[in-house]
Every structure is written in structure tokens, then in C-alpha cells.
Amino acid sequence: MRCPFCAHDDSQVKDSRPTEDNTAIRRRRQCEGCGARFTTFERVQLREIIVLKSNDAREPFDRQKIEQSVSLACRKRGIAQERIDQLVSGIQRQIETMGEIEVPSRTIGEMVMEGLRQLDSVAYIRFASVYRDFGDAKDFEEFAGTVRDVGKH
Ligand SMILES: [Zn+2]
């Protein structure tokens, strides 16, 4: 990182810690040229994310769509809206921090499945069975088997 005082190209990180609200990393730096100290912040870059669908179509990422399919899968399962929101927010954060501009819809579908698998096995099966990019019936049986195995423990 270039020194803002003398424009020397290298600085040393003296201290690195999250900000109070945990949304950024604050780094205290010292210029190797003039010894001046300065601070930099590292934050998540939120940008428009494009979803690459299986038919090669592209559309802007839409959190609402994920929320709708998760809610549908969780219908009448007595799962608090708050937990659904948490799951969707978690997926959104994962996608945002991947650093990719284009994300395949399949990747998002897998994230949703992974989230639902941990949340509720019935919701997981429901989602897996209607998931558009899902391969063939054999794959679904394997998933169903996985859920049954989890239930035995
Ligand atoms: Zn300097």
C-alpha cells in the first residue's frame, strides 16, 4: 500500500483487527520509507451479481427469488421467519464474498440445499425435488437416502 505522505510503495501492517460492527477490517500501517503511520479499511464490495442460468441466460441476482423458494419449501413446517431470513442472508453473503460477478444458478441452488439440509429435512426434500437444475431421479433418490441416514443418528 503506497504511503499517502511520501508515495513510497511499501508499508508494513502493524495491527489488523475488525471494526466494532464487524463489517470491516482496520489495518494500521507504517511506511517503510518515511515511517509515517496511516490506516486502511478492508470492506466487502457489494456489486451487482449476475446469475448464470442453466440455459445460458443471465439475470440480475434477486434475493426475493431465493426467499420465495425457501419459504415454499418450509411451508407449514413451523419454522420461524427469522430463521428463513438468516438462511437467505447467509446465502447472499456467501455469494457476495465469492468475488465472482457471474454465479451459476446451480451454485446458488446447492447453497440453498445445504442451508435447508441443516434447517429441516422435509423442507430440504421438498426443495430438492422441485429444484429446476436438479439432474435426474437417481440423484434425488441419493439425496433422499442422505436425509434418511441423517434422521437415524
Ligand atoms: Zn512514507
Side-chain angles (χ1 to χ4, degrees):
M1 179 70 68
R2 178 173 291 175
C3 172
F5 303 101
C6 73
H8 185 79
D9 270 335
D10 295 309
S11 58
Q12 247 188 327
V13 175
K14 292 296 187 185
D15 185 33
S16 180
R17 64 180 68 178
T19 54
E20 222 164 273
D21 63 1
N22 233 353
T23 62
I25 303 287
R26 180 205 313 266
R27 295 189 210 284
R28 288 294 294 156
R29 293 172 181 272
Q30 183 165 28
C31 173
E32 289 177 4
C34 71
R37 288 170 180 264
F38 56 100
T39 305
T40 56
F41 290 87
E42 177 183 312
R43 291 182 194 280
V44 173
Q45 174 75 56
L46 299 181
R47 59 183 148 191
E48 194 181 10
I49 291 162
I50 301 295
V51 177
L52 182 60
K53 296 166 75 173
S54 53
N55 60 359
D56 285 341
R58 288 168 168 79
E59 61 179 37
F61 172 78
D62 185 358
R63 180 198 158 104
Q64 199 73 35
K65 281 191 179 174
I66 299 181
E67 201 173 327
Q68 274 168 10
S69 28
V70 170
S71 296
L72 197 65
C74 292
R75 203 166 55 173
K76 293 185 180 166
R77 291 298 297 161
I79 299 164
Q81 182 61 39
E82 194 189 357
R83 299 198 64 190
I84 293 173
D85 288 343
Q86 279 172 2
L87 195 157
V88 177
S89 294
I91 290 168
Q92 187 177 4
R93 265 199 306 278
Q94 271 187 68
I95 293 167
E96 283 168 352
T97 53
M98 277 167 71
E100 303 289 336
I101 292 164
E102 287 189 350
V103 180
S105 60
R106 188 179 186 91
T107 303
I108 299 174
E110 279 160 11
M111 287 176 181
V112 173
M113 280 204 276
E114 182 55 26
L116 286 176
R117 194 175 63 77
Q118 292 169 23
L119 188 66
D120 184 89
S121 59
V122 171
Y124 169 65
I125 289 280
R126 280 178 185 163
F127 181 82
S129 65
V130 298
Y131 178 40
R132 255 189 242 145
D133 287 340
F134 212 73
D136 55 23
K138 188 171 165 292
D139 286 340
F140 176 60
E141 277 168 24
E142 282 172 13
F143 271 99
T146 308
V147 171
R148 274 197 299 274
D149 288 345
V150 168
K152 280 176 197 161
H153 294 301

